[in-house]
Amino acid sequence: MLEYLNQLSQSKLILSAGVLLLLLIVRRSLTASAHKRFKNDSERKRRWNSGIKNISSLLMLIGLASVWFDEIQNFAISIAAFIVAIVLATREYIQCILASLYQTTARQYRVGDWVEVDGTAGEVANTDWITTSMYELSIKCGKYQYTGRTLIIPNNLFITRSFTNLNYMRRYVNHSFYLISDKGENPLEMQIYLQQKLDENCAEFQETADRYRSVIERKLEISIPGEKNRVQITTTDLGHVQYNFSLFCPTQQAKEIEQAVTLEFFIYRQTLLPVEQAL
């Protein structure tokens, strides 16, 4: 019998009920005492009732927390472990959401812009909280055309990898290419001719290109590198003559101008070489 009573006294449910009952009795007694003491002062009676209620509620919470401290501690540890597991499992999604919030605030890009992230270029087609869809562009090979592929880029790559906004390249681009000759033509005469042909191919848009270039430099507060419509001579490791071209031209005409100048190069070279060398 004594052992049963000892176990019963140690039961946390009984202890909790005892704490609640004791505090309720004390609160009821104090409230009744306040009613008798301030019977004719309703304002002070309400203040005492409110104070007694708040203090007794706080004591109830403290008493119950003391009784169930071990269980509360274990529950808190379990919740913390669960939260950590959820964060680790969804960290990529959390990073994407944070990156999306940063992009919205900083306005790094918007739908329709040309961008390059981690070496991959494309036009932004759609963006949401997790990913950004892009139409891939073949910029590195100098075509400035769509490849036909749609890329889905996680938003966190825009803040963890190298990112470049190429929007100004949608209309005009700083294009460069080179031609190598292993023949014995006069390189100075060829340079003058190629410079003339390059200027002729760029004449129709040159004034517009100069204005657009100035607008871009002023808007982005940058200096677009390279010289416009320039042909320079260098040599390769094998000693061959190399003609380097740089021009600022409409993006859609870059490859067309390159092909036109290349064709002029091969045609004119035939006139500078003896017949046996030209063949």
Side-chain angles (χ1 to χ4, degrees):
M1 183 66 179
L2 292 176
E3 184 179 356
Y4 173 76
L5 292 176
N6 185 42
Q7 293 178 354
L8 187 63
S9 65
Q10 292 179 357
S11 173
K12 293 188 176 182
L13 289 174
I14 300 300
L15 288 176
S16 300
V19 170
L20 291 175
L21 181 60
L22 177 62
L23 290 175
L24 287 174
I25 293 173
V26 172
R27 185 170 72 175
R28 191 177 186 87
S29 300
L30 292 174
T31 303
S33 176
H35 283 185
K36 292 179 181 180
R37 185 177 179 181
F38 307 109
K39 184 177 182 179
N40 298 323
D41 192 343
S42 59
E43 183 177 349
R44 296 187 67 180
K45 184 168 59 176
R46 286 196 302 270
R47 287 203 301 267
W48 272 83
N49 287 340
S50 177
I52 292 170
K53 182 179 179 181
N54 292 334
I55 293 174
S56 62
S57 298
L58 178 62
L59 291 175
M60 285 181 186
L61 290 176
I62 294 174
L64 292 175
S66 299
V67 173
W68 297 92
F69 177 77
D70 292 337
E71 285 71 12
I72 294 174
Q73 186 179 35
N74 293 333
F75 179 74
I77 293 174
S78 300
I79 290 296
F82 177 74
I83 293 175
V84 170
I86 291 296
V87 170
L88 291 177
T90 61
R91 64 183 183 275
E92 294 291 340
Y93 293 97
I94 294 174
Q95 289 177 358
C96 290
I97 293 173
L98 293 177
S100 179
L101 291 174
Y102 172 76
Q103 185 276 326
T104 302
T105 304
R107 297 185 65 83
Q108 289 181 301
Y109 61 90
R110 57 185 178 181
V111 174
D113 285 357
W114 282 16
V115 299
E116 182 178 16
V117 56
D118 197 24
T120 302
E123 179 181 322
V124 178
N126 185 40
T127 181
D128 55 35
W129 289 104
I130 305 299
T131 61
T132 295
S133 302
M134 299 195 315
Y135 300 134
E136 187 182 28
L137 293 164
S138 58
I139 288 181
K140 288 189 175 181
C141 60
K143 294 182 180 179
Y144 311 103
Q145 295 176 351
Y146 298 105
T147 64
R149 298 192 300 176
T150 300
L151 307 176
I152 308 298
I153 308 295
N155 287 337
N156 62 333
L157 292 184
F158 288 91
I159 58 176
T160 59
R161 304 294 177 87
S162 60
F163 169 78
T164 308
N165 192 314
L166 306 174
N167 199 39
Y168 79 91
M169 294 178 61
R170 293 190 63 185
R171 291 186 58 193
Y172 282 79
V173 65
N174 195 36
H175 184 61
S176 61
F177 62 97
Y178 61 88
L179 297 172
I180 297 176
S181 176
D182 58 351
K183 303 297 183 180
E185 79 275 2
N186 186 335
L188 296 179
E189 186 175 349
M190 177 64 78
Q191 180 189 25
I192 294 174
Y193 178 79
L194 292 176
Q195 182 69 60
Q196 177 185 352
K197 291 301 177 181
L198 183 63
D199 291 338
E200 289 178 1
N201 280 275
C202 298
E204 60 177 327
F205 58 79
Q206 190 60 62
E207 185 177 349
T208 304
D210 291 341
R211 288 200 305 268
Y212 186 76
R213 184 187 185 113
S214 300
V215 169
I216 293 298
E217 291 179 337
R218 184 171 60 255
K219 183 178 180 179
L220 300 182
E221 297 181 352
I222 62 172
S223 178
I224 298 178
E227 298 182 63
K228 52 187 179 183
N229 302 349
R230 185 74 173 177
V231 181
Q232 295 178 308
I233 301 176
T234 58
T235 57
T236 66
D237 295 337
L238 299 177
H240 298 154
V241 178
Q242 178 172 304
Y243 303 95
N244 300 293
F245 301 81
S246 61
L247 62 153
F248 190 71
C249 63
T251 304
Q252 300 300 324
Q253 295 181 237
K255 204 65 179 178
E256 179 182 338
I257 294 173
E258 177 181 339
Q259 291 298 311
V261 173
T262 301
L263 182 61
E264 294 287 350
F265 165 74
F266 284 108
I267 293 176
Y268 187 67
R269 191 175 64 170
Q270 303 299 319
T271 65
L272 298 180
L273 296 174
V275 176
E276 62 273 10
Q277 283 187 296
L279 295 177

